[in-house]
Amino acid sequence: MAGNVERSPHFDVVLVSNGFQNEYEVGFANGLAGCGLRPALVCSDNLPLGRLADGVTAVNLRRSQRSDRSPWRKAANILRYWWALHTTLRRQTARTVHVIGLFTLRKPVIDLIEAVAFRLAARRFVLTVHNLLPHDAHSRLNRWVFGLLYRLPHALVVHTERMREQLQQQFGIPAQRIVVMEHGIDRLLPREANDSGWLTRQLALPAGRPVMLFFGGIGLYKGLDQLTDALLHADRDDRQPILVVAGSCHNPELRLTLQSSLGRLVAQGRARWVDGFISDDDVPAYFHGADVLVMPYRHIDQSGVLFMAISAGLPIVATDVGSLAHYVPLSGGRIVSRGDMAGLLNAVADVVSADSDAQRRERICKAGRFLWVNTTRAVLPAYQLRQ
């Protein structure tokens, strides 16, 4: 049964995400189920169980992830989770574990300890590398720690050829231990006739004004501060798209900066900031209600937000970092040089004026190649399952 919460010893692979992204962990698990595997997805109370496909077993070991828990409750929950997870790995027969998201605490030295534990507990330990180093933390220590960590899994999964080359060149990982699997899409999101009006009503946006969307958690590497500064210095124009920011910022210094710059734009009626978590049910409405997704990033290797836009046919304007230039043209969007915010705003205007609903529908049809059931096939040999 989809979303069945139980502890079963009959799994082909145990997937560990640690709350990476609901869209990603659900999609990946569903993709493996579509390939005929029996995945167990280790999850928390936050997982949208109703979206799991038949064949996926949700194993809720992380339980509550409420932010208002006391520090001692968080610590106790982590210790209980680690014990339950490794007990589950010892009990189930396949003992193949794939860390598809992040490690528990996002602390490099502790990440290394967790990786050692997985290597000892699993017959096959597979790790997806979303970014070679943690965001905004490209220190010498982190490079050394991850250089050790990447030698522990039996296989490393990356989403782009560029990342495969970087793992080889920067960390000396043999090519035969690296699997290139394109990022996937769990669901295509065609826009219905009344979808575009929901966001306008919900955020009280000016009628008829184009919307450029910035979506997801806000870190320094995402360059939102550069974009807001550029908007403040740009000539004010009532036809200029309004900026909708959907996501929270947990960096104290950056948050203060954005409260000033983005706050001024909000006061001028040129922006809205939805400062909080966007529920899984509301996510499609943000992409349906926008006219363009903006990604003014300073650096990144690849992005799940980009594929959410592709699944909705939404054009993207992004800076030329990581693998974005490979995928943005598929969205009908544009790539600009890193740091060129004036160029980004000009590209936004061009893309918005040229796009149409018919083009969106056509792009959604083509996006079917990225459905997880297609992309996850590349990782199956890494599990070395006996069928």
Side-chain angles (χ1 to χ4, degrees):
M1 181 177 72
N4 181 35
V5 182
E6 62 181 42
R7 298 187 186 184
S8 165
H10 307 299
F11 307 137
D12 291 318
V13 58
V14 175
L15 305 177
V16 180
S17 172
N18 290 322
F20 174 59
Q21 293 170 353
N22 281 347
E23 191 75 20
Y24 187 98
E25 60 185 356
V26 167
F28 191 92
N30 288 347
L32 292 182
C35 293
L37 270 62
R38 298 165 299 175
L41 176 59
V42 176
C43 65
S44 71
D45 293 350
N46 296 335
L47 187 77
L49 295 176
R51 287 190 51 202
L52 291 181
D54 290 337
V56 179
T57 299
V59 185
N60 188 351
L61 302 182
R62 298 179 67 233
R63 300 184 183 174
S64 172
Q65 299 296 302
R66 288 181 53 171
S67 59
D68 60 354
R69 293 171 297 161
S70 64
W72 75 266
R73 284 187 178 276
K74 291 180 182 179
N77 190 56
I78 289 172
L79 293 175
R80 184 205 52 76
Y81 162 64
W82 282 340
W83 177 262
L85 174 59
H86 285 273
T87 299
T88 299
L89 293 179
R90 288 194 301 271
R91 286 177 177 172
Q92 61 95 20
T93 56
R95 290 187 64 187
T96 299
V97 61
H98 185 170
V99 178
I100 62 172
L102 304 169
F103 291 100
T104 310
L105 297 182
R106 284 74 151 166
K107 305 292 185 184
V109 175
I110 299 177
D111 291 352
L112 180 59
I113 295 171
E114 282 193 73
V116 171
F118 282 127
R119 177 63 190 246
L120 294 174
R123 288 196 182 97
R124 292 288 295 175
F125 171 29
V126 180
L127 172 67
T128 294
V129 180
H130 294 281
N131 292 281
L132 298 180
L133 292 171
H135 294 308
D136 299 324
H138 293 188
S139 67
R140 184 175 298 178
L141 173 62
N142 284 350
R143 188 171 294 277
W144 178 79
V145 168
F146 280 89
L148 295 176
L149 191 155
Y150 290 149
R151 283 164 173 75
L152 293 171
H154 296 89
L156 297 172
V157 178
V158 295
H159 290 313
T160 68
E161 286 288 344
R162 182 175 182 270
M163 290 185 69
R164 178 186 62 79
E165 293 169 1
Q166 289 177 320
L167 276 175
Q168 290 180 263
Q169 295 168 5
Q170 298 182 29
F171 295 96
I173 306 301
Q176 63 269 25
R177 289 183 49 224
I178 305 173
V179 177
V180 179
M181 180 196 72
E182 285 199 286
H183 199 296
I185 292 172
D186 184 48
R187 50 182 176 169
L188 300 178
L189 301 173
R191 184 165 64 174
E192 303 298 333
N194 60 342
D195 283 340
S196 58
W198 182 91
L199 192 64
T200 298
R201 295 189 300 271
Q202 189 76 6
L203 303 184
L205 301 176
R209 186 94 166 263
V211 173
M212 54 179 169
L213 174 67
F214 180 100
F215 192 89
I218 305 167
L220 187 63
Y221 71 97
K222 290 191 175 181
L224 179 59
D225 55 318
Q226 297 181 123
L227 177 60
T228 54
D229 283 345
L231 283 169
L232 286 171
H233 290 92
D235 293 336
R236 295 184 61 172
D237 186 338
D238 290 339
R239 295 167 298 178
Q240 186 183 70
I242 190 168
L243 173 65
V244 170
V245 176
S248 295
C249 178
H250 300 292
N251 178 321
E253 292 183 8
L254 178 58
R255 186 173 181 84
L256 284 174
T257 298
L258 291 174
Q259 285 174 336
S260 174
S261 61
L262 186 52
R264 288 169 60 190
L265 291 170
V266 171
Q268 295 170 5
R270 301 165 65 192
R272 298 286 190 277
W273 186 2
V274 184
D275 185 7
F277 176 76
I278 308 300
S279 72
D280 191 67
D281 291 338
D282 288 344
V283 167
Y286 278 82
F287 289 85
H288 290 151
D291 296 279
V292 61
L293 177 74
V294 289
M295 303 179 69
Y297 291 8
R298 289 182 169 92
H299 64 84
I300 200 170
D301 290 317
Q302 54 82 32
S303 168
V305 173
L306 178 146
F307 283 88
M308 292 172 71
I310 287 177
S311 72
L314 181 65
I316 304 162
V317 174
T319 49
D320 190 5
V321 296
S323 63
L324 301 189
H326 180 72
Y327 294 103
V328 165
L330 303 177
S331 76
R334 294 262 298 276
I335 283 287
V336 301
S337 299
R338 181 172 58 179
D340 182 8
M341 295 299 103
L344 186 143
L345 292 177
N346 288 335
V348 164
D350 292 343
V351 166
V352 168
S353 64
D355 199 38
S356 68
D357 287 342
Q359 289 172 316
R360 275 201 183 197
R361 289 192 294 269
E362 182 179 355
R363 291 193 295 265
I364 291 172
C365 290
K366 293 180 179 179
R369 59 171 277 207
F370 294 113
L371 288 171
W372 279 115
V373 70
N374 298 322
T375 63
T376 50
R377 296 184 187 281
V379 81
L380 300 187
Y383 297 158
Q384 294 189 352
L385 299 173
R386 292 189 179 95
Q387 299 296 336

